[in-house]
Amino acid sequence: GTNNNLATLRANNAKKLILSELKKVGVGEDKVRIVNVDIKVSGPEYAGDYQNEAKYAPYQYVIITAK
């Protein structure tokens, strides 16, 4: 559903941020291999109150593993 789409978007943004920050310290993308991007959405059932980030954000996880 929508929560999974949002979690996927956040995962992609997190991946870009990691690569960008590594580049700032001299680690090029050719030196990093993203081996896993895992998302998880849990928590309360969505009640149409998308503005209530505090209710849902703690239950959206992104785990990125790089080598």
Side-chain angles (χ1 to χ4, degrees), residues 32-54:
V32 179
R33 185 170 54 102
I34 303 294
V35 294
N36 189 35
V37 177
D38 189 24
I39 60 171
K40 181 177 180 181
V41 177
S42 61
E45 206 48 47
Y46 179 62
D49 54 344
Y50 66 90
Q51 304 93 337
N52 192 352
E53 288 186 25

Side-chain angles (χ1 to χ4, degrees), residues 19 29-36 65-67:
L19 293 173
E29 286 187 39
D30 60 323
K31 302 291 184 196
V32 179
R33 185 170 54 102
I34 303 294
V35 294
N36 189 35
T65 305
K67 292 187 176 187

